[in-house]
């Protein structure tokens, strides 16, 4: 059993007597990419903002890294937790470098270390450090601003990253690129990430764990595959969407799970890590019914059209 | 250098300074412009003395109005002070509605003759534009800035000092600019209660039927107001955040 990064126990929140989050309990293991998913008004954003105490909660306990969040001053708590939001909230009068350096400077890092960290983060987010560090936010595109927002959230090397619909306001192509970046960054850094979205496709693509919320309560928790194959209630089934469920299944299953090891085929290989949807797309464009499958060490097997529907 | 020469503030400032130092030089102009009127130059007090006294009045009252206005605006835009917003605005509006001449009349019995009643009148008159602009500037910031700042762990004070005030500064400054410019014109009536201002030659000229006195005072106060406004414009350009 992996250690829990966040333990939420029996947390409730009401606004003017109206329940927003009710008796919510959740444990997020270290290193997870946990997506809080649900329709608007289901309390997912409020739940996220209670973790770093931007919203006070009425009852229950929240622990981050084993420590009760109420036992530390809110500013100290927030500096240990990265936070990225949809509208980025970059400070328009500060250069990119200063925006990213916000928390390290609050923590009193020496100037040289701050500078190195900014270079490192811009590189991690695939923005050329020398081109971007001196620019102002308004000189960047929406996608670039969002990258800077993520870099800023990671700046002080927090163990936990909270993201509130960070990619909801960018165009689909940019969103796709940002999602890939986030998956890569998650793999490279091993950070625990809690990510709020109402977009089921985004959740299926990013999550290691999906938490579906319904009117302030936990409706289901599971891996993307669990959620699609075994929806716990009609609500989850409807929300995940009955139509196109076959395609969604293809987009969460991996080639590695369905391939025939040891066989071989002609043509360009597809990665074992790729989804079945990507394999299907490759078959359609190449008019091939069999594709070789490769991992980092070379060809390891074959996937055929029939394997997709097994 | 060329850029400096193109600055209107420089030329207005030079003209203003020249008139302060040597109004006598204009005697032929008055003689030519008003034949039949004796081309007298106001001499009960020196023009530089008038200027310094006028400047002092406006500086003291505007500084007080600026500090009070910004402090009030900060207070009523915080969670603790939100309830006082309407009251603060109402009080400032009353101050603005009350004519400075009436404030003067009421203040003289309490404060005596001289600059003090005028400072009170100017302070009350100048408070509203500063308060209103400061509130608008602070409230007009995108909520995401506060949310992101808080989320990163900035304290409320750091958020105010590093984010809210610098970004609201251009709007706040615009309020101060209006307030000070109006204050320079209004301060002239201080001469009716014994404060020395550019109003002094104006009122002396009106009382003694000496048109050149009126002109001298009026031209100087106009140049003073224009020059101040131009200097504020320069400052505003420096405060404008990028983007």
């Amino acid at each position: 059993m992996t250690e829990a990064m966040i333990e939420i126990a029996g947390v409730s929140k009401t606004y003017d007597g109206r329940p927003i989050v009710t008796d919510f309990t959740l444990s997020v293991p270290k290193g997870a990419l946990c997506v809080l998913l649900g329709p608007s008004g289901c309390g997912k954003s409020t739940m996220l903002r209670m973790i770093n105490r931007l919203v006070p909660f009425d009852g229950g306990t929240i622990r981050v890294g084993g420590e009760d969040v109420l036992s530390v001053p809110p500013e100290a708590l927030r500096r240990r937790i990265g936070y990225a939001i949809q509208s980025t909230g970059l400070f328009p009068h500060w250069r990119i470098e200063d925006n990213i350096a916000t928390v390290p400077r609050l923590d009193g890092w020496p100037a040289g270390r701050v500078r190195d960290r900014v270079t490192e983060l811009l590189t991690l987010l695939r923005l050329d450090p020398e081109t971007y560090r001196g620019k102002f936010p308004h000189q960047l595109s929406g996608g670039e601003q969002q990258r800077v927002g993520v870099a800023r959230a990671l700046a002080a090397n927090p163990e936990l990253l909270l993201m509130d619909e960070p990619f909801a306001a960018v165009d689909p192509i940019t969103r796709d690129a940002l999602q890939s970046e986030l998956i890569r960054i998650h793999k490279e850094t091993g950070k625990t990430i809690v990510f709020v979205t109402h977009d089921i496709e985004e959740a299926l693509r990013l999550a290691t764990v999906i938490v579906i919320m319904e009117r302030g309560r936990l409706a289901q928790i599971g891996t993307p595959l669990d959620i699609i194959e075994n929806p716990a209630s009609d609500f989850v089934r409807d929300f995940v969407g009955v139509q196109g469920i076959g395609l969604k299944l293809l987009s969460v299953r991996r080639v590695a799970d369905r391939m025939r090891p040891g066989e071989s085929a002609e043509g360009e290989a597809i990665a074992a890590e790729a989804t079945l949807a990507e394999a299907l797309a490759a078959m359609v464009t190449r008019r091939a019914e069999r594709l070789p499958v490769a991992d980092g060490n070379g060809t390891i097997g074959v996937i055929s059209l029939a394997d997709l529907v097994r | 250098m060329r850029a400096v020469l193109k600055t209107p503030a420089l030329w207005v400032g030079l003209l203003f300074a020249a008139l302060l130092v040597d109004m006598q030089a204009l005697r032929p102009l008055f003689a030519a412009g008003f034949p039949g009127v004796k081309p007298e130059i106001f001499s009960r007090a020196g023009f530089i003395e008038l200027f310094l006294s006028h400047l002092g009045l406006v500086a003291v009252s505007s500084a007080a109005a600026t500090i009070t206005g910004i402090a009030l605006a900060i207070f009523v835009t915080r969670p603790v002070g939100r309830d006082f917003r309407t009251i603060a605005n109402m009080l400032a509006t009353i101050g603005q509605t009350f004519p400075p001449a009436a404030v003067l009349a009421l203040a003289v019995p309490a404060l005596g003759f001289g600059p003090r009643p005028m400072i009170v009148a100017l302070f009350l008159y100048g408070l509203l534009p500063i308060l209103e602009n400061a509130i608008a500037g602070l409230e007009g910031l995108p909520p995401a800035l506060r949310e992101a700042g808080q989320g990163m762990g900035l304290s409320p004070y750091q958020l105010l000092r590093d984010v809210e005030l610098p970004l609201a500064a251009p709007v706040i400054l615009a309020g101060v600019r209006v307030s000070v410019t109006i204050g320079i014109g209004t301060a002239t009536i201080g001469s009716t209660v014994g404060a020395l201002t550019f109003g002094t030659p104006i009122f002396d000229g009106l009382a003694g039927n000496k048109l050149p006195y009126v002109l001298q005072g009026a031209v100087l106060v106009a140049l003073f107001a224009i020059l101040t406004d131009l200097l504020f414009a320069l400052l505003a350009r420096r405060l404008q955040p990028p983007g």
Side-chain angles (χ1 to χ4, degrees), chain A residues 49 78-79 83 87 90 93 136, chain B residues 144-145 147 150 153 162 242-243:
Chain A
R49 292 150 53 92
R78 291 174 195 149
R79 284 183 207 170
Y83 187 55
S87 37
L90 294 181
H93 58 312
F136 285 100
Chain B
L145 292 177
E147 154 123 29
Q150 274 182 341
D162 296 341

Side-chain angles (χ1 to χ4, degrees), chain B residues 129-221:
Chain B
I130 296 174
L131 178 71
E132 277 196 329
N133 272 50
I135 291 178
L138 290 170
E139 281 188 343
L141 299 175
L145 292 177
R146 205 165 285 153
E147 154 123 29
Q150 274 182 341
M152 282 189 292
L154 268 71
S155 69
Y157 170 68
Q158 288 166 332
L159 199 59
L160 178 70
R161 184 195 61 190
D162 296 341
V163 181
E164 296 178 74
L165 282 179
L167 288 173
V171 182
I172 297 176
L173 185 75
V176 176
R177 180 176 172 180
V178 168
S179 173
V180 171
T181 316
I182 292 177
I184 289 174
T186 310
T188 49
I189 63 167
S191 298
T192 58
V193 293
L196 273 185
T197 70
F198 288 134
T200 310
I202 299 179
F203 287 108
D204 279 13
L206 290 173
N209 200 19
K210 290 175 176 162
L211 192 57
Y213 284 8
V214 178
L215 264 180
Q216 287 152 25
V219 165
L220 283 173
V221 77

Side-chain angles (χ1 to χ4, degrees), chain A residues 27-262:
Chain A
S27 174
V28 180
K30 230 173 216 163
L33 203 169
C34 171
V35 172
L36 292 181
L37 176 67
S40 4
C42 72
K44 56 192 190 299
S45 246
T46 307
M47 189 56 246
L48 185 83
R49 292 150 53 92
M50 289 194 282
I51 298 173
N52 66 358
R53 289 180 64 190
L54 281 177
V55 173
F57 48 96
D58 306 330
T61 57
I62 300 178
R63 291 172 176 279
V64 170
E67 198 174 11
D68 189 334
V69 294
L70 295 180
S71 69
V72 268
E75 279 90 27
L77 174 78
R78 291 174 195 149
R79 284 183 207 170
R80 288 190 349 221
I81 301 177
Y83 187 55
I85 56 177
Q86 181 182 329
S87 37
T88 73
L90 294 181
F91 299 148
H93 58 312
W94 287 4
R95 293 174 192 280
I96 299 307
E97 167 152 38
D98 301 319
N99 265 290
I100 295 177
T102 308
V103 181
R105 284 190 184 145
L106 287 174
D107 285 345
W109 290 22
R113 187 171 163 217
V114 171
R115 202 183 150 75
D116 292 347
R117 182 65 180 154
V118 170
T119 309
E120 191 183 338
L121 284 164
L122 284 171
T123 312
L124 180 70
L125 271 299
R126 299 189 201 267
L127 295 168
D128 176 50
E130 291 330 300
T131 314
Y132 283 92
R133 69 190 322 140
K135 292 197 183 209
F136 285 100
H138 72 96
Q139 297 170 301
L140 271 56
S141 72
E144 290 169 335
Q145 290 186 15
Q146 203 48 260
R147 282 166 196 260
V148 175
V150 174
R152 181 172 71 171
L154 288 168
N157 213 3
E159 42 198 343
L160 171 63
L161 197 58
L162 305 179
M163 308 182 88
D164 194 353
E165 307 214 21
F167 309 146
V170 294
D171 62 87
I173 294 171
T174 309
R175 185 182 317 140
D176 187 69
L178 287 168
Q179 288 169 350
S180 307
E181 297 291 317
L182 187 67
I183 293 171
R184 179 177 61 83
I185 289 167
H186 178 241
K187 279 209 183 96
E188 283 178 18
T189 62
K191 304 267 180 224
T192 311
I193 301 177
V194 181
F195 187 106
V196 163
T197 184
H198 59 261
D199 179 351
I200 172 79
E201 310 284 346
E202 185 168 62
L204 292 176
R205 181 161 182 210
L206 298 176
T208 60
V209 188
I210 293 182
V211 176
I212 298 190
M213 289 181 71
E214 176 190 10
R215 278 180 285 143
R217 291 172 188 276
L218 192 141
Q220 186 170 0
I221 172 167
T223 65
L225 203 55
D226 282 343
I227 301 275
I228 292 181
E229 287 187 331
N230 309 305
S233 64
D234 291 345
F235 169 80
V236 175
R237 192 191 314 274
D238 289 348
F239 186 71
V240 171
V242 183
Q243 283 186 338
I245 195 139
L247 288 175
K248 280 177 189 146
L249 278 170
L250 287 182
S251 68
V252 294
R253 290 187 177 135
R254 306 274 155 190
V255 169
D257 306 330
R258 293 298 178 88
M259 68 170 192
R260 301 152 188 262

Side-chain angles (χ1 to χ4, degrees), chain A residues 278-292:
Chain A
E278 286 165 324
L280 179 62
M283 288 177 191
V284 172
T285 48
R286 293 183 208 162
R287 297 170 183 274
E289 291 190 10
R290 284 161 66 84
L291 297 174

